Amino acid sequence: MNVLVYSGNGCTVEAVKHCMYTLRRLLSPNYAVLSVEGKAIVEEPWTGTCALLVFPGGADLGYCRTLNGEGNRRIIQYVERGGSYLGFCAGAYYGSKRCEFELGNKKLEVVGDRELGFYPGTCRGLAFPGFVYQSEAGTKAVELQVSKTSLTKGSVPAVFRSYYNGGGVFVDAPNFRNNGVEVLASYTQQLKVDSGEGTAAVIYCKAGEGAAVLSAPHPEFAAVNLNRDLDIPGYSSIVEALAEDDKLRTDFLKACLLKLGLQVNEKDTAVPSLSRLHLSSSTPNMTSEVMKSLQEIVTMIDGEDYIKDDNDTFHLEKPSTWNLSTISSALPGTKDQDANEYSVDLDKDIDYNAVIKRLVVHDKDFPASKETPYFNHQAFYANLKHYQSQTSAPDNKFGRTVMYGEVVTSTNTLLEKNTELLRRLPAGFTATATVQLSGRGRGSNVWVSPAGSLMFSTVVRHPQSLTTQAPVVFLQYLAALAIVEGIKSYEAGFQNLPIKLKWPNDICKQFAQVTYIEMPTVTDAVDPSSDKLEKIGGILVNSHYDSSEFLSVIGIGLNTNNAAPTISLNALKPPIAFTLEKLLARILTKFSSLYERFLQTGFDKTFEQLYYKHWLHTDQIVTLEAEGGVRARIKGITRDWGLLLAEELAWEDRATGKIWQLQSDSNSFDFFRGLLKRKV
């Protein structure tokens, strides 16, 4: 399930970042915390997979401009049908029936009714004076008295101090108890405005089958992410006070999330620290060859070798050069006892792209198991050799050279965003990791990918001369086939595992045999097939044209051992448990064989039949919203550009004879929403 943090018109970048980091810390790995734009809320089918919708701080008039009407109607319907809403500061004003902000102040006044109306009364501000837009000048560490009769789960503090900057107070909140309103926390200090009965700062509002928590202050702001050195009188003392109450703040926020029915981490969980990268090959001389190809972009600084590229800087090391002093200087933070990791404060918001990546070059032997305890290089290369011996492909390039990191930003980013490095890497070069801090998905989705997932990216150098016969767009289909075929040929007895392809690049577990899947015909409907399918993996392909070839990076994420936030391969009870090393080897060798054949034949009839064998969509009915709700039946994909073929349906779903070629609009939630017509 997803936790969606609104990042569209009206919110501030800092407010979104605080929300994302804190919620990931408290909710990972049970939920995927993603940002979402206003357009997606209005148009995309996000409700069926959303456990919590969060509106951060900012200016709620921007929210109104984007979401009034259809967007707010969908949010209300989502909550009333059992969903949860969490609003901080501007998000709390926005979730109330009426907003009164600086009434009578001509420069700042914002007054008016709001459509969501989860709180049936008024949120009035400023609760405390001094607010200035786009400034920390009005920041305070406000004391909150917590209601332990309303918050009954978790460790609930009696009193704590929270970051405040511009929030309101919920007027007469205790008087709305019969409307499903509960006061979760109240201000203890004198307020600037009339609050009526009580001084409610954080409230819980029942709405149909769902609920909303509205917080005027910012308990999601961690002191460690605030700049103590701002030139604002008393600001450093405010940050110090917030730091002293940080655990109490976290406990309160956990209790609020539990009140909304979410599953939170029992222990404090930090976003993990970056680790070293380890470069190795199936034979040592291959590692040396890779390093030779990189020599022209290596720069020596103070006797050390570096590669400075578009997105990342890499410090090249030999295994014998490790020492704790060089590691501790790599990143500001707390010294860690493990010399393998860069250590950071628990909640610290770090620009990981700016951190120097230490790349250990293993040109004599594989990394020892104590150096990479979560990835056994010997097992991987042994399985790669075993699977390669079963294929007739003349040149199995994929997986021969691997860059592994226990904790990385993103395997796709490390390759695709560093163009000087990418241009010089051999075809089949593969990056893999145990944990990704900034895993990339469709659109701008970013998340912490937990341990237990198979996460890797591999380089394809596709000749431009073959693009007519073998279009580069089919790489995503080859990758999908390699995953499914790799899983089903992992060992004898795996061929019947219920793994299917969802066009164009999702891997799903099929709970029951489905021959007909009725897709939703209204914008906010939940897919009726959702109880039969569950996503287990996905594919992301990025391609650049360079000289006479396409440089493509295929990124794959596959839930293998992890229990959350979704189902995993080992939960399917295979004959023996999958291991990440062996599964990676199997998928890479399958892809290598498929790709070599693709270069010779293109996506021919044999490929087409193999793809249809594993996909879900033959004769599926879809609604073409961009064409006024026309119904169509999926018949296959085109062999030239991989577009979806669909025949138009009339009354009683009879074919009209009209054929559509469709492409997806690449939205963030469901490729079967917003299908676009290419031609008739």
Side-chain angles (χ1 to χ4, degrees):
M1 293 291 283
N2 297 325
V3 170
L4 302 180
V5 178
Y6 176 76
S7 60
N9 186 26
C11 65
T12 67
V13 172
E14 287 302 310
V16 172
K17 289 172 68 175
H18 278 284
C19 274
M20 298 285 285
Y21 274 85
T22 294
L23 291 174
R24 283 173 176 169
R25 173 188 169 190
L26 300 184
L27 297 174
S28 177
N30 301 304
Y31 305 91
V33 181
L34 310 173
S35 62
V36 60
E37 295 282 344
K39 186 175 185 290
I41 290 178
V42 174
E43 298 180 1
E44 297 182 12
W46 53 272
T47 58
T49 56
C50 181
L52 176 67
L53 179 64
V54 184
F55 272 69
D60 93 317
L61 281 179
Y63 306 168
C64 295
R65 295 186 188 102
T66 301
L67 299 171
N68 273 358
E70 178 61 18
N72 286 334
R73 185 194 69 79
R74 300 186 77 197
I75 295 172
I76 293 169
Q77 186 180 71
Y78 157 72
V79 174
E80 289 182 344
R81 290 181 176 180
S84 297
Y85 175 99
L86 177 58
F88 296 111
C89 198
Y93 284 114
Y94 190 60
S96 302
K97 181 64 176 175
R98 183 170 175 80
C99 168
E100 292 183 1
F101 183 83
E102 283 295 85
L103 187 63
N105 183 331
K106 293 183 179 180
K107 292 184 177 180
L108 295 177
E109 180 179 283
V110 177
V111 179
D113 292 340
R114 298 293 183 259
E115 293 181 349
L116 295 184
F118 297 131
Y119 176 56
T122 298
C123 184
R124 180 178 293 156
L126 297 166
F128 300 94
F131 173 77
V132 178
Y133 276 112
Q134 305 296 327
S135 170
E136 301 289 318
T139 300
K140 297 187 181 338
V142 297
E143 186 178 79
L144 301 179
Q145 182 80 39
V146 180
S147 171
K148 292 194 175 185
T149 58
S150 293
L151 291 175
T152 58
K153 296 180 180 179
S155 300
V156 183
V159 179
F160 75 100
R161 287 167 291 184
S162 173
Y163 180 97
Y164 168 91
N165 191 10
V169 61
F170 300 97
V171 179
D172 292 323
N175 296 341
F176 289 98
R177 187 164 187 84
N178 291 337
N179 298 81
V181 175
E182 299 177 46
V183 177
L184 304 184
S186 300
Y187 298 113
T188 63
Q189 295 132 305
Q190 184 175 351
L191 302 182
K192 177 178 180 290
V193 294
D194 181 9
S195 64
E197 181 70 21
T199 57
V202 186
I203 57 175
Y204 170 89
C205 309
K206 190 67 179 170
E209 297 298 317
V213 167
L214 308 179
S215 176
H218 284 281
E220 81 282 15
F221 274 42
V224 72
N225 284 327
L226 301 173
N227 183 2
R228 297 169 185 255
D229 299 326
L230 287 181
D231 188 19
I232 297 174
Y235 188 78
S236 62
S237 298
I238 292 171
V239 176
E240 185 64 34
L242 295 173
E244 291 174 1
D245 283 8
D246 191 70
K247 184 180 185 306
L248 302 178
R249 169 195 71 86
T250 302
D251 287 343
F252 173 76
L253 195 51
K254 282 185 179 180
C256 291
L257 293 169
L258 288 168
K259 180 83 171 175
L260 289 172
L262 277 80
Q263 183 180 350
V264 302
N265 290 322
E266 294 298 325
K267 298 180 180 179
D268 290 340
T269 303
V271 174
S273 314
L274 292 181
S275 65
R276 277 185 167 88
L277 302 168
H278 296 266
L279 179 66
S280 65
S281 300
S282 55
T283 58
N285 67 298
M286 290 185 188
T287 306
S288 300
E289 288 299 316
V290 170
M291 293 311 301
K292 286 179 182 177
S293 69
L294 299 179
Q295 279 306 305
E296 61 182 322
I297 58 172
V298 172
T299 302
M300 183 171 285
I301 303 175
D302 296 330
E304 299 288 335
D305 288 337
Y306 292 84
I307 294 175
K308 184 173 178 56
D309 215 323
D310 299 335
N311 193 77
D312 295 287
T313 297
F314 301 89
H315 180 190
L316 307 182
E317 298 180 347
K318 295 281 188 178
S320 60
T321 65
W322 290 16
N323 66 81
L324 185 60
S325 61
T326 57
I327 294 164
S328 62
S329 64
L331 176 68
T334 308
K335 184 177 289 186
D336 193 290
Q337 292 180 347
D338 183 356
N340 255 340
E341 296 188 349
Y342 311 105
S343 177
V344 296
D345 292 318
L346 191 65
D347 271 334
K348 188 67 175 176
D349 180 3
I350 295 294
D351 179 6
Y352 287 106
N353 290 330
V355 177
I356 294 175
K357 314 302 185 298
R358 297 186 180 273
L359 177 61
V360 183
V361 181
H362 297 267
D363 55 1
K364 302 297 183 185
D365 204 349
F366 304 142
S369 58
K370 66 179 181 180
E371 301 170 53
T372 60
Y374 296 100
F375 188 83
N376 187 321
H377 285 77
Q378 283 193 320
F380 166 72
Y381 287 119
N383 281 295
L384 187 72
K385 183 177 180 180
H386 167 70
Y387 286 130
Q388 286 174 341
S389 69
Q390 299 177 358
T391 178
S392 58
D395 189 10
N396 285 284
K397 299 176 181 177
F398 291 87
R400 294 193 304 186
T401 303
V402 167
M403 181 173 69
Y404 165 77
E406 183 177 326
V407 182
V408 306
T409 50
S410 159
T411 58
N412 251 43
T413 297
L414 287 171
L415 299 182
E416 188 251 332
K417 294 297 183 182
N418 292 299
T419 53
E420 293 300 319
L421 180 69
L422 180 60
R423 286 184 183 126
R424 293 163 176 81
L425 291 177
F429 184 97
T430 299
T432 186
T434 298
V435 174
Q436 291 188 139
L437 300 181
S438 307
R440 291 169 59 199
R442 296 195 294 263
S444 59
N445 288 344
V446 175
W447 67 93
V448 175
S449 308
S453 299
L454 176 60
M455 298 166 285
F456 69 96
S457 301
T458 193
V459 176
V460 178
R461 306 184 74 101
H462 191 71
Q464 189 273 338
S465 59
L466 296 179
T467 52
T468 300
Q469 173 186 330
V472 71
V473 69
F474 280 99
L475 289 180
Q476 63 182 333
Y477 299 131
L478 299 182
L481 284 173
I483 294 171
V484 177
E485 290 274 304
I487 290 170
K488 290 177 178 286
S489 63
Y490 183 84
E491 286 275 3
F494 282 69
Q495 64 272 14
N496 294 322
L497 286 179
I499 301 299
K500 290 287 185 179
L501 304 178
K502 181 182 177 186
W503 182 85
N505 55 11
D506 281 349
I507 311 300
C508 294
K509 188 263 186 181
Q510 187 175 33
F511 286 86
Q513 185 63 37
V514 180
T515 57
Y516 178 88
I517 304 173
E518 179 68 51
M519 295 302 293
T521 57
V522 294
T523 305
D524 54 359
V526 177
D527 183 354
S529 67
S530 60
D531 61 337
K532 299 181 178 69
L533 299 174
E534 192 164 354
K535 182 175 177 178
I536 209 165
I539 302 158
L540 177 68
V541 181
N542 295 104
S543 297
H544 304 271
Y545 182 71
D546 184 69
S547 185
S548 61
E549 62 184 355
F550 287 94
L551 295 177
S552 299
V553 176
I554 301 175
I556 291 173
L558 196 59
N559 297 323
T560 307
N561 301 326
N562 49 308
T566 184
I567 196 168
S568 67
L569 287 174
N570 280 337
L572 305 183
K573 299 181 179 179
I576 59 173
F578 288 95
T579 66
L580 298 178
E581 295 89 347
K582 186 172 181 177
L583 184 58
L584 175 59
R586 174 74 287 197
I587 293 173
L588 286 172
T589 50
K590 271 293 179 184
F591 181 83
S592 183
S593 297
L594 292 168
Y595 181 65
E596 287 298 322
R597 186 181 183 282
F598 176 66
L599 292 178
Q600 302 298 319
T601 68
F603 203 80
D604 62 2
K605 192 68 175 178
T606 301
F607 268 121
E608 188 178 33
Q609 290 174 348
L610 181 62
Y611 191 78
Y612 294 156
K613 173 185 173 182
H614 295 304
W615 87 330
L616 291 160
H617 307 301
T618 300
D619 291 333
Q620 178 179 336
I621 305 286
V622 296
T623 299
L624 308 183
E625 294 174 342
E627 303 304 323
V630 170
R631 286 168 63 83
R633 179 181 287 114
I634 301 300
K635 303 306 293 183
I637 58 175
T638 65
R639 297 217 305 264
D640 52 359
W641 297 108
L643 301 178
L644 210 58
L645 281 173
E647 60 179 5
E648 184 179 273
L649 301 177
W651 185 66
E652 293 185 341
D653 288 342
R654 295 177 180 175
T656 66
K658 192 174 189 178
I659 301 296
W660 303 81
Q661 293 188 8
L662 307 167
Q663 59 187 352
S664 171
D665 66 352
S666 300
N667 69 58
S668 305
F669 297 97
D670 190 337
F671 271 98
F672 279 95
R673 308 296 293 180
L675 289 169
L676 304 178
K677 177 182 67 173
R678 179 172 181 259
K679 65 180 180 180
V680 179

